[in-house]
Amino acid sequence: MFGYQAVYDDDFFDALDYAAKNGFDFVSFDLNVPRFYIDGLPDARLDEIRGYAVSKNVKPAFHAPGDNISLYTDYPAIRSGILEHFSSIITSAQHLQARHTTIHPGAYPSLKKFDAKNDDFVAAHRDYFSRMLYENVMHLADRAKDVLLCLENFNFTDITMETVDKLLANTDRLFLTWDIAKTYDRSLQKDEMVESFMLKHCDRIREIHIHDIIKDFRSHQIVGEGGIDFSQYADLLHRPDIAITIEVRPREAAKVSRDSIISMLC
């Protein structure tokens, strides 16, 4: 099951049209993009989008905003606002019969001393911030019913992975998104701890993000033009319960990348 990340598309209908015409099974609408905000849309508009998606035989999916939002947030008013906003996204995604909604964990504060290699502040507050992440994600998981709530491995630290371990053990409403390229840095060195964590919980993976990395340049490049060997993940990429989102922009480059990954897997 292949989809692409909608960022530069004109609107929901334009993206669904492109997906249908080019053999994509779903569209992952990025909710960092104002034209795709679904929270607060009236039911009639949601019904129109849902009906159009059904007519095109293309599933909608959503990526919640994550570049400037953290689910480690503890400030009461801001925390309440984030949870309310994300809950609204989940409710609208369920109305649209979306396959999944993906979230980022975000980051906790880092306040190192001037001469320290390690962060004594994080060490002192580890349990506190772990509890914040646990409570915030569990709050959202409790609201996900028919839509899969998937936590992406963006900025996964040892604290994050320890907390996600507990979450996965204590709810069956949380799943994982593995962004394979985010397991590597720009020099294409692999983070073995993150990969081991994802493989340990491979039964909970429901989405994979695909894009390539050109060494010492940047990620979100066309598959095959960078240095990641995706064939080593073939077993996961062939699983029928996993949606593969091509995160290469714009959509024409996503189509090239999809065709390239299919060729690698044949």
Side-chain angles (χ1 to χ4, degrees):
M1 179 187 298
F2 284 92
Y4 77 92
Q5 178 194 28
V7 173
Y8 293 100
D9 307 70
D10 293 339
D11 53 34
F12 290 103
F13 307 100
D14 175 48
L16 293 166
D17 272 337
Y18 184 84
K21 291 175 182 176
N22 291 277
F24 286 100
D25 303 294
F26 68 94
V27 178
S28 178
F29 293 97
D30 195 309
L31 298 182
N32 288 292
V33 181
R35 69 174 67 93
F36 297 137
Y37 290 175
I38 56 171
D39 57 293
L41 282 181
D43 287 352
R45 184 63 167 170
L46 294 174
D47 289 341
E48 185 182 3
I49 296 167
R50 182 179 65 192
Y52 198 77
V54 170
S55 74
K56 295 294 180 178
N57 196 30
V58 175
K59 271 281 191 183
F62 296 94
H63 194 308
D67 290 344
N68 54 3
I69 293 176
S70 174
L71 288 172
Y72 278 100
T73 297
D74 62 331
Y75 317 110
I78 299 174
R79 182 188 189 192
S80 177
I82 290 173
L83 294 178
E84 181 180 343
H85 182 68
F86 275 37
S87 295
S88 177
I89 286 172
I90 292 169
T91 298
S92 295
Q94 290 177 160
H95 190 130
L96 287 164
Q97 298 178 339
R99 180 191 180 272
H100 61 265
T101 296
T102 300
I103 58 176
H104 284 178
Y108 42 77
S110 176
L111 299 166
K112 284 185 179 181
K113 297 175 181 176
F114 79 96
D115 60 347
K117 290 184 178 179
N118 298 318
D119 193 328
D120 291 339
F121 177 84
V122 171
H125 296 85
R126 180 187 186 99
D127 291 346
Y128 172 78
F129 285 113
S130 175
R131 178 166 58 84
M132 289 299 103
L133 179 64
Y134 182 95
E135 291 178 358
N136 290 340
V137 174
M138 187 65 82
H139 177 91
L140 299 177
D142 285 344
R143 279 147 184 78
K145 297 179 177 65
D146 298 325
V147 63
L148 300 172
L149 184 68
C150 298
L151 186 71
E152 184 182 340
N153 62 298
F154 178 73
N155 201 30
F156 263 26
T157 64
D158 58 337
I159 297 175
T160 304
M161 289 184 283
E162 177 184 297
T163 308
V164 177
D165 256 329
K166 295 176 184 175
L167 283 160
L168 293 174
N170 291 322
T171 180
D172 60 0
R173 291 185 176 179
L174 180 67
F175 299 91
L176 295 173
T177 290
W178 188 0
D179 188 319
I180 290 175
K182 288 190 175 75
T183 317
Y184 297 79
D185 62 23
R186 288 189 178 180
S187 64
L188 289 172
Q189 295 299 306
K190 185 187 295 185
D191 188 327
E192 301 288 352
M193 286 183 62
V194 174
E195 178 161 298
S196 294
F197 179 88
M198 299 305 291
L199 292 174
K200 172 186 173 183
H201 295 292
C202 67
D203 61 315
R204 301 294 285 271
I205 296 173
R206 291 297 181 272
E207 184 195 16
I208 289 179
H209 289 175
I210 294 289
H211 52 100
D212 216 335
I213 298 175
I214 296 176
K215 187 175 181 180
D216 299 324
F217 183 47
R218 61 171 67 108
S219 60
H220 294 281
Q221 301 301 301
I222 291 173
V223 173
E225 295 186 2
I228 298 179
D229 175 15
F230 290 100
S231 65
Q232 64 186 300
Y233 306 102
D235 288 348
L236 274 174
L237 294 170
H238 279 299
R239 262 179 45 186
D241 61 337
I242 290 179
I244 301 170
T245 303
I246 308 296
E247 282 201 337
V248 184
R249 285 111 33 192
R251 61 194 186 185
E252 292 79 11
K255 183 176 182 294
V256 172
S257 294
R258 180 205 57 195
D259 295 344
S260 179
I261 196 75
I262 289 173
S263 296
M264 288 182 187
L265 299 175
C266 288

